[in-house]
Amino acid sequence: MPFDTPSDASLAPLWAPLAASTQPPARPARASLTPPIVSQDAQRSIMDLKEKPTRMLKLDSLKVACSSCNLRELCLPVGLSRSNLEKLDQMVASRRSVKRGEALFHAGDPFQSLYAVRTGFFKTRVSSEDGRDQVTGFQMAGELLGLDAISQDRHTCDAVALEDSQVCVIPYHRLEELSREFTELQSSFHKIMSREIVRDHGVMLLLGSMRAEERLAAFLLNLTQRLQARGFSPSALILRMTREEIGSYLGLKLETVSRTFSKFQEDGLLEVKQRQIRILNEDGLRRLVNNSTC
Amino acid sequence: MPFDTPSDASLAPLWAPLAASTQPPARPARASLTPPIVSQDAQRSIMDLKEKPTRMLKLDSLKVACSSCNLRELCLPVGLSRSNLEKLDQMVASRRSVKRGEALFHAGDPFQSLYAVRTGFFKTRVSSEDGRDQVTGFQMAGELLGLDAISQDRHTCDAVALEDSQVCVIPYHRLEELSREFTELQSSFHKIMSREIVRDHGVMLLLGSMRAEERLAAFLLNLTQRLQARGFSPSALILRMTREEIGSYLGLKLETVSRTFSKFQEDGLLEVKQRQIRILNEDGLRRLVNNSTC
DNA sequence: CGGTAAGTTGAAAAATCTCAATCACGGTGG
DNA sequence: CCACCGTGATTGAGATTTTTCAACTTACCG
């Protein structure tokens, strides 16, 4: 099974190869991560068994338990003690499914809840008045969506599913309440927001100081690192986004992204078949990112 | 007094001209902002009078009162009721002076406190392993420094004073304690973190989708907007940073920044005398930012 | 008043973008 | 089952933007 990239992934794992000097060895790869996370479909069938729902649609309103979620090590509950973990269960009230291409929320929507990606894959996108778009991130399982909305009580970006996805709904006022009660949760939440800021700074470094090849290499390393944290192969992946979306994220045109993929293939760094990518020389990519002028 | 840009300024005022569609009219310019904030020197003399310190050096350890600070409408206490405001006074324990060119903290330093700029001007900067630098922001009076450090208990960027500055020290564990007690403070703090995320997204939009002229125009509009919120002229300013620092922030080389300033001057948009800038045609700048292809 | 850091300007090189043609693939309907 | 369609991906060639390198000017500090 070469290209094993099911629809899962994890929480705010910074631009490890970028923020580099500013952080420890990027948190020991989570070897302890429970059984490699199963695919979206597999998860669904487990759910079906356990909770005996009659139809997919009902799934959305099911009671959800962080305490028994296999993403808990990668999501908001990270670091919570068993007992506090169970208190989260009363907070995360429901799930919501979002079909590929649909938006979880749009810029301007009133803010009610944060969302934790449970399965699937999202992009977030900001737009300027004149219609310029910028993809600000790609979110996998365990990662939080909606943090930007806290500042104005409105979402400031669109979150669009890049494949059929499921999110856990985290009512924000409940989160604030609970985090006043439980120091651990407060601390977790603050760390998550702060991590988002650090991640954004890494992206600024990328956009502000790297050339095309370096950007794409950094992007791929970041993706595989996050996938690996979720139990996937560090060397084979299926891109969930188009060249244009990658380009928007990296501040490049889609043709430049495409050309750079081709160049990497010529150089023996990657095997590229449309969206199927295999990394043949990870160190080579890493050198590209780290040795600016070499 | 053409170039009246003393050493003050305010809190996380997004890239208003950028985040555009994603936010309301950018919060009504704070017309209510108490008396235009006084200059660094003026503030010092007020302090001298009130608290009767014998020497500048002692100033750092003086008890500080948010409740009587004229930046309270722009800083962490924003929106706090009078009574809660006074509770902040027990949290903000001290001040610290940072000379021009010195660092308030460095990447890697253990995290103890957040800092609110009281007077002066800072830049924050991240570095990658291979020595690439990226200026991630410029901070004026009322803005918070150190939010990135929460995620790892270490600072992840350098904060360097671009002129002699003073900050209020906010011990982070005290802030967490207090924000468990006071809903208002919790809410303020979360909004501030979120606003930083929104600001960063605006910078990504700038770096990812604008060309040199648009970036510089957006930068200038953002600066003047923040200065105006602090009671300064919206049309005349003195840059606190070098062309190189502007370039780093905007993802451009210093020569490109310089050339673009010259072009703006030729076009009658600005009057540029080294770091003294006068905006002659604000609408022109605004059009540059908003009409991508025009 | 000299030395140094910062800023400006020119010309050529390099990177990226634009426009255009073509290819690949997944889905659909005959 | 297969041809066709549409979206996404690739590739080429020329245009444009930005960078690089270098010379020169200006301002500030002691």
Side-chain angles (χ1 to χ4, degrees):
Chain A
M1 280 292 115
F3 292 107
D4 58 340
T5 311
S7 32
D8 283 10
S10 122
L11 183 65
L14 331 179
W15 281 86
L18 304 180
S21 73
T22 78
Q23 73 188 80
R27 166 187 287 193
R30 294 223 153 275
S32 69
L33 181 67
T34 45
I37 298 163
V38 290
S39 80
Q40 185 177 10
D41 288 344
Q43 281 188 345
R44 272 185 186 148
S45 35
I46 289 169
M47 288 297 306
D48 291 352
L49 271 165
K50 242 201 308 215
E51 317 217 32
K52 174 178 181 306
T54 46
R55 326 175 64 228
M56 270 304 298
L57 282 178
K58 288 203 90 173
L59 198 53
D60 288 6
S61 51
L62 281 179
K63 201 77 189 119
V64 179
C66 287
S67 55
S68 63
C69 177
N70 57 10
L71 284 168
R72 64 182 176 279
E73 287 298 316
L74 291 167
C75 191
L76 182 61
V78 70
L80 291 206
S81 65
R82 190 76 214 168
S83 58
N84 281 341
L85 189 52
E86 278 161 13
K87 287 167 186 150
L88 269 197
D89 295 348
Q90 57 181 308
M91 176 181 81
V92 179
S94 63
R95 295 214 190 115
R96 190 173 141 192
S97 290
V98 188
K99 281 225 158 35
R100 174 188 163 136
E102 285 180 356
L104 174 59
F105 53 75
H106 283 106
D109 289 354
F111 173 52
Q112 299 286 342
S113 302
L114 298 174
Y115 303 93
V117 180
R118 189 176 151 74
T119 64
F121 203 93
F122 285 82
K123 70 171 174 185
T124 48
R125 173 183 61 197
V126 297
S127 310
S128 63
E129 281 172 353
D130 54 318
R132 246 189 282 249
D133 274 4
Q134 173 74 24
V135 171
T136 53
F138 297 107
Q139 295 78 21
M140 325 187 193
E143 299 181 333
L144 251 48
L145 286 160
L147 294 174
D148 54 281
I150 295 169
S151 79
Q152 312 256 227
D153 288 319
R154 297 201 166 267
H155 289 280
T156 66
C157 63
D158 305 328
V160 178
L162 296 184
E163 58 182 332
D164 293 354
S165 302
Q166 229 179 66
V167 297
C168 297
V169 179
I170 306 171
Y172 180 63
H173 72 278
R174 296 282 300 120
L175 175 60
E176 282 203 314
E177 272 171 32
L178 269 187
S179 75
R180 284 195 297 274
E181 290 177 49
F182 308 118
T183 312
E184 273 184 332
L185 179 61
Q186 182 193 36
S187 167
S188 268
F189 179 55
H190 288 173
K191 278 174 197 270
I192 284 172
M193 294 209 89
S194 172
R195 183 151 43 170
E196 178 66 18
I197 292 170
V198 174
R199 188 193 72 85
D200 292 348
H201 289 174
V203 177
M204 286 186 215
L205 178 65
L206 176 142
L207 290 171
S209 76
M210 294 187 181
R211 50 186 59 215
E213 290 184 23
E214 297 165 337
R215 293 184 200 187
L216 188 61
F219 170 70
L220 289 172
L221 290 172
N222 174 267
L223 263 192
T224 53
Q225 182 217 319
R226 289 154 71 195
L227 288 169
Q228 193 169 15
R230 285 156 184 81
F232 298 119
S233 162
S235 65
L237 66 156
I238 296 183
L239 299 174
R240 274 14 221 205
M241 66 296 276
T242 66
R243 299 291 190 257
E244 185 168 20
E245 287 162 335
I246 296 172
S248 171
Y249 183 57
L250 298 181
L252 302 169
K253 293 297 164 186
L254 68 94
E255 295 96 330
T256 306
V257 174
S258 183
R259 271 185 248 276
T260 308
F261 269 124
S262 300
K263 171 139 199 309
F264 283 177
Q265 186 160 28
E266 278 169 34
D267 294 352
L269 295 171
L270 301 180
E271 188 184 317
V272 183
K273 280 197 208 132
Q274 309 277 135
R275 297 198 183 180
Q276 295 175 39
I277 308 289
R278 183 195 300 282
I279 294 179
L280 302 176
N281 181 357
E282 186 179 319
D283 280 350
L285 287 178
R286 219 173 284 287
R287 270 193 299 274
L288 256 181
V289 177
N290 289 331
N291 295 357
S292 51
T293 44
C294 238
Chain B
M1 281 290 116
F3 291 108
D4 59 339
T5 310
S7 30
D8 284 8
S10 122
L11 184 62
L14 328 181
W15 281 86
L18 304 180
S21 74
T22 77
Q23 73 188 81
R27 163 186 290 192
R30 296 219 152 275
S32 69
L33 180 67
T34 46
I37 297 163
V38 290
S39 80
Q40 185 178 9
D41 288 345
Q43 281 188 347
R44 273 186 186 147
S45 34
I46 289 169
M47 287 297 306
D48 290 352
L49 272 165
K50 239 200 311 211
E51 316 217 31
K52 174 176 181 305
T54 45
R55 330 173 64 228
M56 269 303 299
L57 282 178
K58 288 203 89 175
L59 199 53
D60 289 5
S61 51
L62 280 178
K63 200 80 190 118
V64 181
C66 288
S67 55
S68 63
C69 177
N70 56 9
L71 283 168
R72 63 182 176 278
E73 288 298 315
L74 290 168
C75 191
L76 183 62
V78 69
L80 291 205
S81 65
R82 190 74 213 168
S83 58
N84 281 340
L85 189 52
E86 278 161 13
K87 288 168 186 150
L88 269 197
D89 294 349
Q90 56 181 307
M91 176 181 81
V92 180
S94 63
R95 296 216 189 113
R96 188 172 142 193
S97 290
V98 187
K99 281 226 158 37
R100 172 187 166 139
E102 286 180 356
L104 175 59
F105 52 76
H106 283 106
D109 288 354
F111 173 52
Q112 299 286 341
S113 303
L114 297 173
Y115 303 93
V117 180
R118 188 175 152 74
T119 64
F121 202 92
F122 286 83
K123 69 172 174 183
T124 48
R125 173 182 61 195
V126 297
S127 309
S128 63
E129 284 173 350
D130 53 320
R132 245 188 283 251
D133 273 4
Q134 173 74 24
V135 170
T136 53
F138 297 106
Q139 293 79 23
M140 322 186 194
E143 300 181 331
L144 250 49
L145 286 160
L147 294 175
D148 55 280
I150 296 169
S151 78
Q152 312 256 224
D153 288 319
R154 297 203 165 265
H155 289 280
T156 66
C157 63
D158 305 329
V160 178
L162 296 183
E163 57 182 332
D164 293 354
S165 303
Q166 227 178 70
V167 297
C168 297
V169 179
I170 306 171
Y172 180 62
H173 71 278
R174 296 284 299 122
L175 175 59
E176 282 203 314
E177 271 171 32
L178 268 186
S179 76
R180 284 194 297 272
E181 289 176 49
F182 308 119
T183 312
E184 273 184 331
L185 178 61
Q186 182 192 35
S187 168
S188 268
F189 179 55
H190 289 173
K191 278 175 197 269
I192 285 172
M193 294 210 88
S194 173
R195 183 150 43 170
E196 178 65 19
I197 292 171
V198 174
R199 187 193 71 85
D200 291 348
H201 289 174
V203 177
M204 287 186 215
L205 177 66
L206 175 142
L207 290 172
S209 76
M210 294 186 181
R211 51 187 56 210
E213 289 183 23
E214 298 164 338
R215 293 184 200 186
L216 187 62
F219 170 71
L220 290 172
L221 289 171
N222 173 267
L223 263 191
T224 52
Q225 181 216 320
R226 289 153 71 195
L227 288 168
Q228 192 168 16
R230 286 160 182 78
F232 298 118
S233 161
S235 65
L237 66 156
I238 296 182
L239 299 174
R240 271 18 215 201
M241 66 298 277
T242 65
R243 300 291 191 258
E244 185 168 20
E245 287 162 335
I246 296 173
S248 172
Y249 184 57
L250 298 180
L252 302 169
K253 293 297 164 187
L254 67 93
E255 294 96 329
T256 307
V257 174
S258 183
R259 271 185 248 276
T260 308
F261 269 123
S262 300
K263 172 138 199 311
F264 283 177
Q265 187 160 27
E266 277 170 35
D267 295 352
L269 295 170
L270 301 179
E271 189 183 315
V272 182
K273 279 198 210 132
Q274 307 279 137
R275 297 197 182 181
Q276 295 175 42
I277 308 290
R278 184 195 301 280
I279 294 179
L280 301 176
N281 180 356
E282 185 177 320
D283 280 349
L285 287 178
R286 220 173 283 288
R287 270 193 299 276
L288 255 182
V289 177
N290 289 330
N291 295 355
S292 50
T293 44
C294 238

